[in-house]
Amino acid sequence: MDSASHFVIGVGLAGLSQLDPLVQTDPALVTVIMIGVIAGSQAPDFDTITRLKNNETYIRQHRGFSHSIPAIMFWTVILTALLYLFVPKPSGLLHLLGWIFLAVSLHVFMDLFNTYGTQALRPFSKKWISWNIIHIFDPFIFITHVIAVLLWITGMAEPVVVFPTLYACLFLYYVVRTIYHRWIDVTVSRKMSLPDDDTLTVMPTVRFRYWHLMLKRADGSYELGSYIKGQINWLETVSSDEHPLIEQSKSHPSVAALLDFSYHTVANVTTHDWGTEVRWCDARYRYRKQYPFVAIVFYNHQQQPIASYVGWLNDRKLYKRLYQEAKLNPSPS
């Protein structure tokens, strides 16, 4: 999920902690647990600092080991140790530990439901797990948390009533979306009579009844479409080109970072007067007829890499930076 959603969920967990009898009777513990669950709700995403090194490191690391089983334990212990300095009461230690553990674990668990996914099973498996059920920003989750928090801080309702109700509703919401996701998958697969070698992926949007469809064919091509209120619309078919530089580019750090993260990539080659551009894109992320999550490598006529980029694409700014890095003059187009 996005950082804003994780933040309001952290505040929501602070409200839920009011059910804890010890928290109700210890004002100091209230403050420390609030800080702990808000920090814990953000902690797995502290790996965004790797972006300062380069995009390749960020793509490989984000939601990787920081969302793993050892990392959940690490974030829980380190935050508890730091905050326990301010509540040196033996009776409060396990309560503080438990609430922070819940916040960190819930962050990782909720991230499994969107398309980006996590490597939550490390160190047992490095596979990216993405259940494609909840959009990275879900308006229902965000708005209901904001309403619950406002009811709490304005004194219009007691937290022991508001937050159990909130999380009971969210549990049902997740169940409904999971069932609906499965129903769409089965319905579309039956209507298309898909062969065993084809793989259908149903992906969420911010709208409950609007879903993206991605069909991977046995030949490696992809059909992209949508499912809107019971209607299936296929929009585009994309496939990889055949070119020796595509295979060569797989060893480039920018492309290797994308391939390490995504199992749904397409590679295309464009020839320029100065050399060749190899562009890999993640077929899951189609936006306004473009695929903005990419790895691009520029090669000169000697097939040597002269510039590269991996990450989310802004064509105009990207090309300006890449051309400058390659010491080329951008074409008028």
Side-chain angles (χ1 to χ4, degrees), residues 53-332:
K53 183 176 181 180
N54 54 51
N55 270 16
E56 287 88 351
T57 303
Y58 173 73
I59 295 300
R60 287 182 181 275
Q61 298 299 325
H62 184 51
R63 293 197 181 185
F65 191 78
S66 65
H67 286 60
S68 66
I69 296 171
I72 291 174
M73 305 309 297
F74 170 79
W75 295 125
T76 299
V77 171
I78 196 69
L79 288 173
T80 301
L82 290 172
L83 291 170
Y84 189 63
L85 296 174
F86 301 95
V87 187
K89 294 182 180 180
S91 60
L93 177 59
L94 290 180
H95 293 258
L96 179 61
L97 180 75
W99 284 106
I100 291 177
F101 175 74
L102 175 62
V104 177
S105 301
L106 190 62
H107 175 122
V108 174
F109 181 67
M110 295 181 81
D111 279 350
L112 293 172
F113 282 84
N114 57 52
T115 303
Y116 200 96
T118 77
Q119 289 181 309
L121 291 181
R122 291 182 67 173
F124 305 107
S125 171
K126 289 188 177 181
K127 182 179 180 180
W128 285 89
I129 304 170
S130 53
W131 292 333
N132 301 308
I133 293 169
I134 304 289
H135 194 263
I136 194 168
F137 174 79
D138 188 289
F140 180 79
I141 295 173
F142 185 82
I143 293 171
T144 52
H145 271 85
V146 170
I147 292 173
V149 170
L150 288 175
L151 290 173
W152 174 33
I153 64 177
T154 59
M156 296 178 65
E158 292 295 323
V160 294
V161 175
V162 172
F163 291 100
T165 302
L166 168 66
Y167 288 107
C169 291
L170 288 181
F171 175 77
L172 291 176
Y173 178 68
Y174 269 71
V175 170
V176 170
R177 283 201 68 112
T178 300
I179 294 173
Y180 191 35
H181 175 272
R182 176 58 180 166
W183 182 82
I184 294 172
D185 193 323
V186 172
T187 299
V188 175
S189 297
R190 285 177 178 173
K191 285 186 177 181
M192 298 192 64
S193 300
L194 296 178
D196 293 338
D197 291 339
D198 290 357
T199 304
L200 176 68
T201 303
V202 181
M203 298 172 290
T205 70
V206 294
R207 294 159 57 185
F208 183 80
R209 299 184 67 188
Y210 181 10
W211 297 69
H212 292 309
L213 302 176
M214 180 180 70
L215 180 60
K216 184 176 182 179
R217 296 294 189 180
D219 62 1
S221 64
Y222 290 88
E223 289 187 40
L224 289 305
S226 62
Y227 182 90
I228 306 175
K229 299 178 180 180
Q231 298 297 317
I232 302 171
N233 300 299
W234 294 106
L235 305 171
E236 186 176 12
T237 300
V238 293
S239 60
S240 295
D241 296 331
E242 293 185 6
H243 195 283
L245 276 179
I246 290 179
E247 188 63 31
Q248 180 179 326
S249 70
K250 290 181 179 180
S251 61
H252 190 280
S254 294
V255 176
L258 179 66
L259 296 180
D260 187 55
F261 160 74
S262 175
Y263 310 116
H264 302 286
T265 54
V266 172
N268 298 112
V269 174
T270 304
T271 302
H272 301 278
D273 54 3
W274 45 261
T276 307
E277 170 189 339
V278 179
R279 176 183 298 220
W280 291 80
C281 69
D282 191 324
R284 294 174 297 175
Y285 301 107
R286 184 181 187 274
Y287 179 70
R288 294 182 178 178
K289 301 181 180 181
Q290 296 184 2
Y291 299 86
F293 193 50
V294 300
I296 300 177
V297 185
F298 284 176
Y299 291 90
N300 60 19
H301 290 299
Q302 289 72 47
Q303 296 191 350
Q304 298 297 316
I306 53 178
S308 66
Y309 173 84
V310 60
W312 296 98
L313 172 69
N314 179 315
D315 253 304
R316 186 172 298 177
K317 292 182 179 179
L318 167 66
Y319 265 78
K320 184 177 180 180
R321 187 184 72 79
L322 279 176
Y323 272 92
Q324 288 173 345
E325 183 179 334
K327 296 181 174 56
L328 300 169
N329 293 319
S331 61

